[in-house]
């Protein structure tokens, strides 16, 4: 018999959401991640209505919304002037507006929700090998001190991104390709500008070199991401 029903590899938003869904079905879940702890740096910012609907079906949308800022409108700027405005709320859903909540806060809240359902994330634990059989999957876990542990699960799911050990061991190719010359930078700040700091009001600044999209966070800071493409050497 396998040690656990499902082993989830990767404790990002996808892995955590899957683990919560599986626990809701009464399955035994083990979730591991090679990172030493949950993320703290700025990353993705917006949860869109369809994602909130899916999370609502798992019973976790409420806690995320209570820690988020509803995004009601976005003003678009270009060449030093206001070009127009986008409004939200037209989507026919109980979650008809996107919300601003940063990825590390999403992960923190989902970790707490999962722990409340009886499963803690095993940090600093890397899956270094996987062998799949007809009735189970065998996996090897390695920790920073070099100690290794073997385990079995009825199912193993790789949610650890592009450098997936699970996918590699199963021979599943990553069919995407890297976008060369693209840089995306995100950070948090308290801006000093004449635009104000209204809750639920975001901005998009169009620029050829590096367009940016600052928006208010629940913490009171403004998160901004900017992307730039550099020419690829010939």
């Amino acid at each position: 018999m396998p040690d656990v029903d499902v082993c989830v590899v990767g404790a990002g938003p996808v892995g955590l959401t899957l683990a919560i869904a599986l626990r809701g079905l009464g399955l035994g879940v083990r979730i591991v991640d090679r990172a030493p702890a949950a993320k703290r740096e700025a990353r993705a910012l917006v949860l869109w209505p369809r994602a909130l609907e899916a999370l609502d079906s798992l019973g976790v949308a409420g806690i995320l919304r209570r820690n988020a800022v509803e995004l009601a409108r976005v003003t678009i700027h270009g060449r030093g002037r206001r070009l127009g405005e986008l409004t939200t709320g037209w989507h026919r859903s109980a979650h008809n507006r996107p919300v601003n909540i940063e990825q590390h806060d999403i992960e923190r809240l989902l970790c707490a929700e999962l722990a409340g359902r009886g499963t803690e994330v095993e940090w600093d634990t890397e899956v270094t090998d996987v062998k799949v059989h007809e009735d189970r999957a065998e996996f090897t876990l390695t920790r920073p001190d070099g100690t290794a542990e073997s385990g079995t699960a009825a199912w193993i799911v790789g949610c650890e991104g592009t450098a997936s050990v699970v996918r590699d061991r199963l021979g599943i190719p990553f069919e995407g390709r890297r976008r060369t010359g693209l840089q995306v930078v995100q950070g948090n700040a308290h801006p000093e500008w004449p635009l104000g700091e209204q809750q639920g009001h975001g901005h998009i600044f169009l620029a050829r070199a590096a367009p940016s999209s600052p928006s208010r966070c629940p913490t009171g800071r403004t998160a901004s991401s900017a992307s730039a493409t550099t020419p690829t050497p010939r």
Side-chain angles (χ1 to χ4, degrees), residues 68-90:
V69 172
E70 198 171 74
L71 186 60
R73 58 195 176 102
V74 177
T75 300
I76 302 173
H77 309 262
R79 296 185 178 181
R81 61 191 180 92
R82 181 182 180 276
L83 300 179
E85 188 168 279
L86 304 175
T87 59
T88 67
W90 49 266

Side-chain angles (χ1 to χ4, degrees), residues 8-22 29 31-32 110 114 121 157-160:
V8 178
V9 185
V14 173
L16 290 167
T17 302
L18 174 62
I20 289 170
L22 294 171
V29 179
I31 179 168
V32 301
L110 292 182
L114 183 59
V121 177
V157 186
C159 301
E160 74 272 49

Side-chain angles (χ1 to χ4, degrees), residues 119-138:
T119 298
E120 298 274 356
V121 177
E122 298 177 52
W123 300 107
D124 248 350
T125 304
E126 183 177 7
V127 171
T128 52
D129 197 18
V130 175
K131 296 178 181 177
V132 176
H133 307 276
E134 289 186 359
D135 60 344
R136 71 194 187 283
E138 297 179 357

Side-chain angles (χ1 to χ4, degrees), residues 7 9 127-134 136-139 153-160 162-175:
C7 176
V9 185
V127 171
T128 52
D129 197 18
V130 175
K131 296 178 181 177
V132 176
H133 307 276
E134 289 186 359
R136 71 194 187 283
E138 297 179 357
F139 52 88
W155 297 86
I156 186 165
V157 186
C159 301
E160 74 272 49
T162 57
S164 171
V165 174
V166 175
R167 188 177 60 246
D168 178 70
R169 295 299 187 273
L170 294 177
I172 301 173
F174 178 70
E175 297 182 355

Side-chain angles (χ1 to χ4, degrees), residues 8-198:
V8 178
V9 185
V14 173
L16 290 167
T17 302
L18 174 62
I20 289 170
L22 294 171
R23 290 296 296 135
L25 295 173
L27 297 176
V29 179
R30 190 171 185 180
I31 179 168
V32 301
D33 197 296
R34 63 184 179 183
K39 301 178 187 67
R40 298 181 63 183
E41 69 273 12
R43 291 199 173 201
L45 177 64
V46 181
L47 274 178
W48 297 94
R50 185 65 190 101
L52 288 166
E53 290 171 351
L55 291 164
D56 202 9
S57 69
L58 303 178
V60 296
I63 185 67
L64 296 177
R65 289 189 69 94
R66 288 192 292 273
N67 288 271
V69 172
E70 198 171 74
L71 186 60
R73 58 195 176 102
V74 177
T75 300
I76 302 173
H77 309 262
R79 296 185 178 181
R81 61 191 180 92
R82 181 182 180 276
L83 300 179
E85 188 168 279
L86 304 175
T87 59
T88 67
W90 49 266
H91 188 68
R92 294 183 179 179
S93 168
H95 305 280
N96 64 346
R97 282 182 169 148
V99 298
N100 286 347
I101 177 171
E102 293 185 273
Q103 181 175 327
H104 62 276
D105 288 326
I106 294 173
E107 293 181 9
R108 172 179 56 82
L109 294 166
L110 292 182
C111 280
E113 185 69 27
L114 183 59
R117 302 186 184 200
T119 298
E120 298 274 356
V121 177
E122 298 177 52
W123 300 107
D124 248 350
T125 304
E126 183 177 7
V127 171
T128 52
D129 197 18
V130 175
K131 296 178 181 177
V132 176
H133 307 276
E134 289 186 359
D135 60 344
R136 71 194 187 283
E138 297 179 357
F139 52 88
T140 302
L141 304 177
T142 304
R143 296 180 174 81
D145 61 3
T147 58
E149 172 192 347
S150 296
T152 59
W155 297 86
I156 186 165
V157 186
C159 301
E160 74 272 49
T162 57
S164 171
V165 174
V166 175
R167 188 177 60 246
D168 178 70
R169 295 299 187 273
L170 294 177
I172 301 173
F174 178 70
E175 297 182 355
R177 59 185 179 87
R178 293 187 180 276
R179 174 78 178 272
T180 59
L182 177 67
Q183 292 184 329
V184 178
V185 179
Q186 180 170 318
N188 292 340
H190 291 282
E192 294 183 0
W193 59 10
L195 299 176
E197 294 188 9
Q198 296 175 318

